[in-house]
Amino acid sequence: SGGAVTGWQPQQPDLSGRATIRVDGGSYAVSVARGVMTVRVTEHGVTGAPAAAAVLRSGAVWRQVTGTTGQPVLVGVAPRGAEQVVYRPVGGGEMAPHSVATAPAGDFTAYVIALARPPAGTAIARDVGWLTHDAGLPEWSIGEGGAAAAGFALDMAGEVPSLLPPHDVTVTGPPSTTAVRSPVLVGITVEASLGGTARLESQGGVATPVGPAGLELRLEGADPESAFCWARVPLSDGRTLVWGVLPEGASPPTLRVTGGARVGHPVAAGQSGLPYTPFAVLVEGRPEQVVGFDARLQGRAGGIGVLQ
């Protein structure tokens, strides 16, 4: 079931490490501390802005950054003992010609993957994995197939604590003690790996989606830290359900609305089983009145902002 995300909890926060990998006349400084990996790229003596990512449940993570040759590369960490680093190309198929440089990094193995000819588009990999000395098949940063699901029962005050009739119940907690009416019952399913499908399914209730638009989305992004999707779905009672998927540990989104639309209290699933945070928010207003959102990535700098 869903629930409010009360705070990001780092994975294996006691593990740490750092390494510098020199490739193509530049360097990639990789460090991990308190569950967050940080990458700094230096070229011609100039160090760019750091790129951070939360270490996933697998004990691994990567970021796609601009490399020392001006082309995108994959920089990340795998658990200590990783001997061969591989990736799943966007769109499937075999790995393109590439080079891999690795270095011990304390409790981790740091790596840089550089393709001889990066594909057109924004993303290189659906997932990055590694093999160890005694493993015949790779383990993957995000996961080996499968999907995760979260269920929400919500109204303007957030998650509904009881669905037993009548549906007029009282929610105690933020934003206030509020009478709840016309709950919306939905389930969100997310496939593993970038480019996977996220689906919204109505579970009944008083208000249901009108038509199929916005019920199936593709999780877009260059790496787990930047992947997200969202949609605005009209409901049968005239309200709008805003739903989507954010990176793991993201705060519930703050919606941007126009024309006097009223935003409900967002709910999010903090333990979906995959490195994503499904969320849902009710809006008293039309879909076009929701023009964007902002979400903070807890435990590290930065966030995700959308304005349409």
Side-chain angles (χ1 to χ4, degrees), residues 27 29 39-50:
S27 66
V39 176
R40 292 178 172 84
V41 182
T42 300
E43 182 181 12
H44 303 307
V46 178
T47 300

Side-chain angles (χ1 to χ4, degrees), residues 20-88:
T20 298
I21 301 176
R22 303 188 183 281
V23 179
D24 295 324
S27 66
Y28 301 84
V30 183
S31 62
V32 181
R34 295 182 294 278
V36 176
M37 178 193 73
T38 303
V39 176
R40 292 178 172 84
V41 182
T42 300
E43 182 181 12
H44 303 307
V46 178
T47 300
V55 176
L56 308 179
R57 290 176 174 84
S58 60
V61 73
W62 84 92
R63 290 302 310 260
Q64 179 173 309
V65 301
T66 300
T68 56
T69 62
Q71 298 294 326
V73 299
L74 308 179
V75 184
V77 293
R80 183 171 55 190
E83 295 186 351
Q84 182 179 353
V85 180
V86 295
Y87 76 96
R88 283 181 168 145

Side-chain angles (χ1 to χ4, degrees), residues 119-293:
T122 59
I124 293 175
R126 290 171 57 91
D127 205 350
V128 177
W130 65 94
L131 290 93
T132 56
H133 178 70
D134 55 354
L137 295 173
E139 298 182 55
W140 297 95
S141 301
I142 296 177
E144 179 60 49
F152 298 109
L154 72 154
D155 206 310
M156 294 295 290
E159 191 165 31
V160 177
S162 173
L163 294 177
L164 296 177
H167 292 305
D168 293 347
V169 298
T170 299
V171 174
T172 301
S176 63
T177 301
T178 309
V180 179
R181 296 179 176 83
S182 304
V184 176
L185 284 68
V186 295
I188 298 175
T189 303
V190 189
E191 295 178 347
S193 79
L194 298 182
T197 299
R199 294 183 178 88
L200 177 78
E201 296 182 355
S202 173
Q203 306 295 323
V206 177
T208 57
V210 177
L215 301 185
E216 183 171 303
L217 306 174
R218 188 162 299 280
L219 192 66
E220 303 289 353
D223 47 48
E225 191 77 357
S226 63
F228 74 96
C229 59
W230 76 300
R232 298 154 290 188
V233 177
L235 299 176
S236 57
D237 65 356
R239 294 181 296 179
T240 296
L241 176 68
V242 179
W243 76 280
V245 179
L246 296 169
E248 184 176 36
S251 65
T254 300
L255 299 189
R256 299 186 181 193
V257 297
T258 61
R262 178 170 171 259
V263 178
H265 189 64
V267 295
Q271 299 293 330
S272 66
L274 292 175
Y276 310 125
T277 302
F279 72 88
V281 191
L282 275 175
V283 176
E284 290 183 348
R286 301 183 306 277
E288 60 269 23
Q289 290 179 276
V290 182
V291 297
F293 71 86

